[in-house]
Amino acid sequence: MKLHTIRLSFVWLIAFSLACLSATAQTPAEWKKLKGDVRFFLANDLGRNGYYEQKTIAELMGRMAETIGPDCVVAAGDVHHFDGVASVSDPLWLTNYEHIYSHPELMISWRPLLGNHEYRGNTQAVLDYAKVSRRWQMPDRYYTFVLTDEEAGTSLRLILLDTTPLIDSYRRSRDKYPDAGLQDADRQMAWLDSVLTADRSTWTIVVGHHPVFAQTPKGEHERTDMQARLLPVFRRHQDKVDMYLCGHIHNFQHLRLPAGGSTDYVVNSSASLSRKVQPTDGTVFCSPEAGFSVVSADAKSLTLSMVDGKGRVIHTVKRTK
């Protein structure tokens, strides 16, 4: 075994052991500590018709919402496996979403974005579902909004991207992903640049379905395409993007790399079916657990808490001013 690999494995074992020791958020009293001035749940890779851990994690999200009171749920793609939806009346809306996330405390704003599985179906129907469901708030393929607590002086801007068209292999695969090649990737990056230029929020988070950095068995071209598109924009706004959040890989990862600037790169695990993971260059923490994340902010700190299927915080990403 190479010395580099041994060092990575040792670092990962230490991180995993510390995470196990700190995995204490199991009760409403502990969950209350995750609450900030503004807060949201991050969930992705959901759509398994309630199977695997989807229903269990959905119920956990509802119970935690009773204590934390999230302002919204950010659904970072692949709400529908495997071939997206055919229309706004597709039964998958019931079996993947409405009947699963039915807890009263989850009847709040859901802020979705498109994943690669949505691109296998009718992507316009995913946008049009906002006309059917009041909580499904998706004004466009990419968009931005701000969570604010004016009294506390806290503002958190979220910039939600449409990342499938940013990857060339999806654009070329017109039979499988018919809409991907029709989208103007350069226009989206110009829009991102303009939003970051005008942004004056306390904190800024960019969310996409695909990772910029991650350990993954998926093709390396996915990440290099994402890096080629996003990193020049991030570098033009040095220190502006606090976190980049994504899904797609079905496990938890937290990475920091010199190439990524000061941004924390987070892969959020699947809220239904998770997969194995190993540390790689830049890995701060990784875990194969299924779950979701709680993100909270106040004027002085921004915190992302990775929550496993039992409601335990297994890793925390924290930034301070």
Side-chain angles (χ1 to χ4, degrees):
M1 183 181 291
K2 294 181 180 180
L3 180 60
H4 179 66
T5 304
I6 294 173
R7 287 174 175 170
L8 282 174
S9 299
F10 181 68
V11 170
W12 178 81
L13 285 171
I14 292 174
F16 183 78
S17 298
L18 290 173
C20 290
L21 290 173
S22 63
T24 58
Q26 302 177 63
T27 67
E30 293 294 326
W31 294 339
K32 191 173 183 179
K33 298 175 183 178
L34 306 181
K35 188 173 181 177
D37 295 338
V38 295
R39 56 271 181 195
F40 68 90
F41 287 176
L42 175 69
N44 48 264
D45 300 279
L46 312 172
R48 300 282 175 171
N49 291 293
Y51 283 82
Y52 303 98
E53 294 187 66
Q54 187 186 9
K55 183 64 174 174
T56 301
I57 292 172
E59 292 171 350
L60 172 65
M61 289 171 63
R63 293 197 307 274
M64 291 185 70
E66 292 175 355
T67 298
I68 296 172
D71 296 298
C72 66
V73 177
V74 174
D78 286 2
V79 174
H80 300 288
H81 287 84
F82 289 89
D83 294 319
V85 290
S87 68
V88 295
S89 58
D90 193 315
L92 288 176
W93 285 108
L94 299 179
T95 58
N96 276 337
Y97 178 58
E98 299 288 0
H99 291 173
I100 306 300
Y101 303 96
S102 56
H103 192 286
E105 296 299 324
L106 297 179
M107 298 298 158
I108 56 177
S109 298
W110 281 60
R111 297 287 192 157
L113 55 83
L114 297 168
N116 53 291
H117 283 284
E118 276 84 11
Y119 263 93
R120 292 188 186 185
N122 184 343
T123 53
Q124 186 60 45
V126 181
L127 277 73
D128 290 345
Y129 196 67
K131 302 173 184 176
V132 176
S133 171
R134 187 171 64 180
R135 61 174 171 163
W136 190 264
Q137 298 184 14
M138 187 177 188
D140 213 330
R141 291 173 185 263
Y142 49 91
Y143 58 100
T144 184
F145 65 98
V146 181
L147 300 176
T148 60
D149 184 328
E150 294 183 3
E151 185 175 342
T154 303
S155 58
L156 169 59
R157 177 173 293 279
L158 288 105
I159 304 172
L160 274 60
L161 300 181
D162 182 17
T163 57
T164 301
L166 305 183
I167 297 171
D168 290 341
S169 60
Y170 293 122
R171 300 181 66 86
R172 291 192 296 264
S173 184
R174 300 211 170 184
D175 290 340
K176 197 170 186 179
Y177 304 97
D179 284 353
L182 301 177
Q183 310 308 314
D184 190 333
D186 292 337
R187 181 179 179 182
Q188 183 179 175
M189 291 300 94
W191 171 85
L192 172 62
D193 184 77
S194 68
V195 172
L196 289 173
T197 298
D199 183 33
R200 297 294 183 269
S201 303
T202 313
W203 306 101
T204 302
I205 294 176
V206 178
V207 189
H209 181 66
H210 295 84
V212 177
F213 299 103
Q215 187 279 323
T216 170
K218 298 180 184 292
E220 181 65 20
H221 68 276
E222 290 191 5
R223 287 171 304 292
T224 56
D225 284 357
M226 288 289 291
Q227 291 163 19
R229 298 278 191 187
L230 286 179
L231 292 184
V233 181
F234 286 5
R235 288 171 185 145
R236 281 197 294 274
H237 301 278
Q238 188 68 27
D239 301 327
K240 181 67 72 71
V241 179
D242 294 295
M243 295 182 185
Y244 176 81
L245 313 181
C246 68
H248 191 52
I249 312 299
H250 292 225
N251 48 52
F252 284 118
Q253 298 185 51
H254 173 205
L255 302 98
R256 288 183 64 93
L257 299 95
S262 63
T263 302
D264 283 287
Y265 294 85
V266 175
V267 179
N268 191 52
S269 189
S270 169
S272 57
L273 177 64
S274 61
R275 296 174 180 147
K276 295 179 181 179
V277 64
Q278 296 179 347
T280 187
D281 289 339
T283 298
V284 178
F285 173 83
C286 61
S287 169
E289 294 292 328
F292 67 103
S293 290
V294 178
V295 182
S296 62
D298 58 34
K300 296 295 183 181
S301 64
L302 172 66
T303 304
L304 179 143
S305 302
M306 297 178 178
V307 180
D308 70 8
K310 295 182 179 178
R312 299 175 298 193
V313 175
I314 59 174
H315 180 66
T316 298
V317 183
K318 187 168 185 176
R319 298 175 69 91
T320 58
K321 290 188 180 294

PDB file of all heavy atoms in Angstrom, residues 50-63 100 271-272 292 309-310:
ATOM      1  N   GLY A  50     -40.453   5.408  -1.160  1.00  0.00           N
ATOM      2  CA  GLY A  50     -40.526   5.092   0.256  1.00  0.00           C
ATOM      3  C   GLY A  50     -39.640   3.947   0.689  1.00  0.00           C
ATOM      4  O   GLY A  50     -39.514   3.687   1.890  1.00  0.00           O
ATOM      5  N   TYR A  51     -39.022   3.233  -0.250  1.00  0.00           N
ATOM      6  CA  TYR A  51     -38.216   2.061   0.088  1.00  0.00           C
ATOM      7  C   TYR A  51     -36.831   2.444   0.594  1.00  0.00           C
ATOM      8  O   TYR A  51     -36.456   3.603   0.609  1.00  0.00           O
ATOM      9  CB  TYR A  51     -38.102   1.140  -1.122  1.00  0.00           C
ATOM     10  CG  TYR A  51     -39.349   0.318  -1.366  1.00  0.00           C
ATOM     11  CD1 TYR A  51     -40.432   0.862  -2.044  1.00  0.00           C
ATOM     12  CD2 TYR A  51     -39.469  -0.984  -0.887  1.00  0.00           C
ATOM     13  CE1 TYR A  51     -41.589   0.125  -2.263  1.00  0.00           C
ATOM     14  CE2 TYR A  51     -40.615  -1.734  -1.099  1.00  0.00           C
ATOM     15  CZ  TYR A  51     -41.666  -1.172  -1.792  1.00  0.00           C
ATOM     16  OH  TYR A  51     -42.816  -1.901  -2.000  1.00  0.00           O
ATOM     17  N   TYR A  52     -36.077   1.408   0.984  1.00  0.00           N
ATOM     18  CA  TYR A  52     -34.778   1.567   1.619  1.00  0.00           C
ATOM     19  C   TYR A  52     -34.990   2.412   2.879  1.00  0.00           C
ATOM     20  O   TYR A  52     -35.830   2.083   3.688  1.00  0.00           O
ATOM     21  CB  TYR A  52     -33.753   2.142   0.637  1.00  0.00           C
ATOM     22  CG  TYR A  52     -33.616   1.280  -0.605  1.00  0.00           C
ATOM     23  CD1 TYR A  52     -34.295   1.603  -1.774  1.00  0.00           C
ATOM     24  CD2 TYR A  52     -32.851   0.115  -0.572  1.00  0.00           C
ATOM     25  CE1 TYR A  52     -34.201   0.793  -2.901  1.00  0.00           C
ATOM     26  CE2 TYR A  52     -32.762  -0.705  -1.689  1.00  0.00           C
ATOM     27  CZ  TYR A  52     -33.439  -0.365  -2.848  1.00  0.00           C
ATOM     28  OH  TYR A  52     -33.360  -1.169  -3.943  1.00  0.00           O
ATOM     29  N   GLU A  53     -34.299   3.518   3.024  1.00  0.00           N
ATOM     30  CA  GLU A  53     -34.462   4.328   4.239  1.00  0.00           C
ATOM     31  C   GLU A  53     -35.269   5.607   3.982  1.00  0.00           C
ATOM     32  O   GLU A  53     -35.342   6.469   4.859  1.00  0.00           O
ATOM     33  CB  GLU A  53     -33.092   4.682   4.824  1.00  0.00           C
ATOM     34  CG  GLU A  53     -32.310   3.480   5.341  1.00  0.00           C
ATOM     35  CD  GLU A  53     -31.036   3.880   6.053  1.00  0.00           C
ATOM     36  OE1 GLU A  53     -31.142   4.518   7.121  1.00  0.00           O
ATOM     37  OE2 GLU A  53     -29.950   3.572   5.536  1.00  0.00           O
ATOM     38  N   GLN A  54     -35.875   5.728   2.823  1.00  0.00           N
ATOM     39  CA  GLN A  54     -36.534   6.995   2.500  1.00  0.00           C
ATOM     40  C   GLN A  54     -37.658   7.337   3.467  1.00  0.00           C
ATOM     41  O   GLN A  54     -37.727   8.461   3.980  1.00  0.00           O
ATOM     42  CB  GLN A  54     -37.085   6.988   1.070  1.00  0.00           C
ATOM     43  CG  GLN A  54     -37.620   8.370   0.679  1.00  0.00           C
ATOM     44  CD  GLN A  54     -38.316   8.408  -0.654  1.00  0.00           C
ATOM     45  OE1 GLN A  54     -38.572   7.376  -1.280  1.00  0.00           O
ATOM     46  NE2 GLN A  54     -38.637   9.600  -1.114  1.00  0.00           N
ATOM     47  N   LYS A  55     -38.549   6.414   3.729  1.00  0.00           N
ATOM     48  CA  LYS A  55     -39.680   6.698   4.612  1.00  0.00           C
ATOM     49  C   LYS A  55     -39.203   6.972   6.030  1.00  0.00           C
ATOM     50  O   LYS A  55     -39.675   7.901   6.695  1.00  0.00           O
ATOM     51  CB  LYS A  55     -40.657   5.524   4.599  1.00  0.00           C
ATOM     52  CG  LYS A  55     -41.916   5.749   5.426  1.00  0.00           C
ATOM     53  CD  LYS A  55     -42.770   6.886   4.899  1.00  0.00           C
ATOM     54  CE  LYS A  55     -44.086   7.004   5.644  1.00  0.00           C
ATOM     55  NZ  LYS A  55     -44.863   8.194   5.231  1.00  0.00           N
ATOM     56  N   THR A  56     -38.241   6.192   6.510  1.00  0.00           N
ATOM     57  CA  THR A  56     -37.712   6.377   7.865  1.00  0.00           C
ATOM     58  C   THR A  56     -37.074   7.752   8.024  1.00  0.00           C
ATOM     59  O   THR A  56     -37.300   8.449   9.014  1.00  0.00           O
ATOM     60  CB  THR A  56     -36.675   5.281   8.182  1.00  0.00           C
ATOM     61  OG1 THR A  56     -37.298   4.003   8.066  1.00  0.00           O
ATOM     62  CG2 THR A  56     -36.122   5.446   9.588  1.00  0.00           C
ATOM     63  N   ILE A  57     -36.260   8.153   7.028  1.00  0.00           N
ATOM     64  CA  ILE A  57     -35.589   9.443   7.106  1.00  0.00           C
ATOM     65  C   ILE A  57     -36.590  10.582   6.952  1.00  0.00           C
ATOM     66  O   ILE A  57     -36.472  11.622   7.606  1.00  0.00           O
ATOM     67  CB  ILE A  57     -34.463   9.523   6.067  1.00  0.00           C
ATOM     68  CG1 ILE A  57     -33.342   8.551   6.461  1.00  0.00           C
ATOM     69  CG2 ILE A  57     -33.922  10.946   5.942  1.00  0.00           C
ATOM     70  CD1 ILE A  57     -32.252   8.399   5.429  1.00  0.00           C
ATOM     71  N   ALA A  58     -37.600  10.399   6.117  1.00  0.00           N
ATOM     72  CA  ALA A  58     -38.644  11.422   5.967  1.00  0.00           C
ATOM     73  C   ALA A  58     -39.362  11.659   7.295  1.00  0.00           C
ATOM     74  O   ALA A  58     -39.645  12.806   7.675  1.00  0.00           O
ATOM     75  CB  ALA A  58     -39.642  11.005   4.892  1.00  0.00           C
ATOM     76  N   GLU A  59     -39.658  10.586   8.015  1.00  0.00           N
ATOM     77  CA  GLU A  59     -40.315  10.722   9.321  1.00  0.00           C
ATOM     78  C   GLU A  59     -39.393  11.405  10.322  1.00  0.00           C
ATOM     79  O   GLU A  59     -39.837  12.226  11.137  1.00  0.00           O
ATOM     80  CB  GLU A  59     -40.749   9.347   9.820  1.00  0.00           C
ATOM     81  CG  GLU A  59     -41.883   8.741   8.989  1.00  0.00           C
ATOM     82  CD  GLU A  59     -42.165   7.289   9.335  1.00  0.00           C
ATOM     83  OE1 GLU A  59     -41.360   6.694  10.085  1.00  0.00           O
ATOM     84  OE2 GLU A  59     -43.174   6.759   8.838  1.00  0.00           O
ATOM     85  N   LEU A  60     -38.094  11.084  10.266  1.00  0.00           N
ATOM     86  CA  LEU A  60     -37.120  11.741  11.125  1.00  0.00           C
ATOM     87  C   LEU A  60     -37.046  13.241  10.820  1.00  0.00           C
ATOM     88  O   LEU A  60     -37.007  14.067  11.736  1.00  0.00           O
ATOM     89  CB  LEU A  60     -35.744  11.103  10.933  1.00  0.00           C
ATOM     90  CG  LEU A  60     -34.564  11.803  11.620  1.00  0.00           C
ATOM     91  CD1 LEU A  60     -34.709  11.752  13.135  1.00  0.00           C
ATOM     92  CD2 LEU A  60     -33.239  11.169  11.176  1.00  0.00           C
ATOM     93  N   MET A  61     -37.053  13.588   9.543  1.00  0.00           N
ATOM     94  CA  MET A  61     -37.038  15.007   9.169  1.00  0.00           C
ATOM     95  C   MET A  61     -38.235  15.728   9.766  1.00  0.00           C
ATOM     96  O   MET A  61     -38.102  16.860  10.271  1.00  0.00           O
ATOM     97  CB  MET A  61     -37.044  15.136   7.645  1.00  0.00           C
ATOM     98  CG  MET A  61     -35.747  14.729   6.973  1.00  0.00           C
ATOM     99  SD  MET A  61     -35.877  14.644   5.147  1.00  0.00           S
ATOM    100  CE  MET A  61     -36.250  16.355   4.744  1.00  0.00           C
ATOM    101  N   GLY A  62     -39.390  15.091   9.740  1.00  0.00           N
ATOM    102  CA  GLY A  62     -40.577  15.701  10.319  1.00  0.00           C
ATOM    103  C   GLY A  62     -40.458  15.905  11.812  1.00  0.00           C
ATOM    104  O   GLY A  62     -40.811  16.976  12.340  1.00  0.00           O
ATOM    105  N   ARG A  63     -39.943  14.906  12.516  1.00  0.00           N
ATOM    106  CA  ARG A  63     -39.790  15.024  13.977  1.00  0.00           C
ATOM    107  C   ARG A  63     -38.776  16.105  14.328  1.00  0.00           C
ATOM    108  O   ARG A  63     -38.991  16.887  15.265  1.00  0.00           O
ATOM    109  CB  ARG A  63     -39.363  13.683  14.580  1.00  0.00           C
ATOM    110  CG  ARG A  63     -40.416  12.587  14.479  1.00  0.00           C
ATOM    111  CD  ARG A  63     -40.124  11.442  15.436  1.00  0.00           C
ATOM    112  NE  ARG A  63     -38.789  10.907  15.307  1.00  0.00           N
ATOM    113  CZ  ARG A  63     -38.416   9.956  14.441  1.00  0.00           C
ATOM    114  NH1 ARG A  63     -39.317   9.456  13.595  1.00  0.00           N
ATOM    115  NH2 ARG A  63     -37.183   9.498  14.403  1.00  0.00           N
ATOM    116  N   ILE A 100     -44.792  10.636   1.130  1.00  0.00           N
ATOM    117  CA  ILE A 100     -43.604  10.324   1.948  1.00  0.00           C
ATOM    118  C   ILE A 100     -43.293  11.485   2.896  1.00  0.00           C
ATOM    119  O   ILE A 100     -43.106  11.283   4.098  1.00  0.00           O
ATOM    120  CB  ILE A 100     -42.385  10.035   1.054  1.00  0.00           C
ATOM    121  CG1 ILE A 100     -42.705   8.936   0.031  1.00  0.00           C
ATOM    122  CG2 ILE A 100     -41.185   9.645   1.918  1.00  0.00           C
ATOM    123  CD1 ILE A 100     -43.104   7.621   0.643  1.00  0.00           C
ATOM    124  N   ALA A 271     -31.037  10.625   0.997  1.00  0.00           N
ATOM    125  CA  ALA A 271     -32.067  10.483   2.025  1.00  0.00           C
ATOM    126  C   ALA A 271     -32.895   9.235   1.778  1.00  0.00           C
ATOM    127  O   ALA A 271     -34.026   9.130   2.246  1.00  0.00           O
ATOM    128  CB  ALA A 271     -32.961  11.715   2.042  1.00  0.00           C
ATOM    129  N   SER A 272     -32.300   8.264   1.072  1.00  0.00           N
ATOM    130  CA  SER A 272     -32.997   6.987   0.854  1.00  0.00           C
ATOM    131  C   SER A 272     -32.008   5.825   0.781  1.00  0.00           C
ATOM    132  O   SER A 272     -32.002   4.964   1.644  1.00  0.00           O
ATOM    133  CB  SER A 272     -33.862   7.041  -0.410  1.00  0.00           C
ATOM    134  OG  SER A 272     -33.094   7.369  -1.541  1.00  0.00           O
ATOM    135  N   PHE A 292     -29.507  13.332   5.982  1.00  0.00           N
ATOM    136  CA  PHE A 292     -29.714  14.667   5.425  1.00  0.00           C
ATOM    137  C   PHE A 292     -28.905  15.643   6.260  1.00  0.00           C
ATOM    138  O   PHE A 292     -28.207  15.245   7.202  1.00  0.00           O
ATOM    139  CB  PHE A 292     -31.207  15.035   5.410  1.00  0.00           C
ATOM    140  CG  PHE A 292     -31.828  15.204   6.775  1.00  0.00           C
ATOM    141  CD1 PHE A 292     -32.081  16.465   7.278  1.00  0.00           C
ATOM    142  CD2 PHE A 292     -32.172  14.100   7.554  1.00  0.00           C
ATOM    143  CE1 PHE A 292     -32.660  16.635   8.519  1.00  0.00           C
ATOM    144  CE2 PHE A 292     -32.748  14.254   8.800  1.00  0.00           C
ATOM    145  CZ  PHE A 292     -32.987  15.523   9.286  1.00  0.00           C
ATOM    146  N   GLY A 309     -29.419   8.495   9.822  1.00  0.00           N
ATOM    147  CA  GLY A 309     -30.796   8.018   9.865  1.00  0.00           C
ATOM    148  C   GLY A 309     -31.373   7.843  11.246  1.00  0.00           C
ATOM    149  O   GLY A 309     -32.586   7.617  11.382  1.00  0.00           O
ATOM    150  N   LYS A 310     -30.538   7.965  12.281  1.00  0.00           N
ATOM    151  CA  LYS A 310     -31.013   7.873  13.661  1.00  0.00           C
ATOM    152  C   LYS A 310     -31.073   9.237  14.342  1.00  0.00           C
ATOM    153  O   LYS A 310     -31.293   9.319  15.556  1.00  0.00           O
ATOM    154  CB  LYS A 310     -30.115   6.922  14.456  1.00  0.00           C
ATOM    155  CG  LYS A 310     -30.187   5.474  13.958  1.00  0.00           C
ATOM    156  CD  LYS A 310     -29.330   4.546  14.793  1.00  0.00           C
ATOM    157  CE  LYS A 310     -29.441   3.117  14.281  1.00  0.00           C
ATOM    158  NZ  LYS A 310     -28.580   2.170  15.055  1.00  0.00           N
TER     159      LYS A 310
END
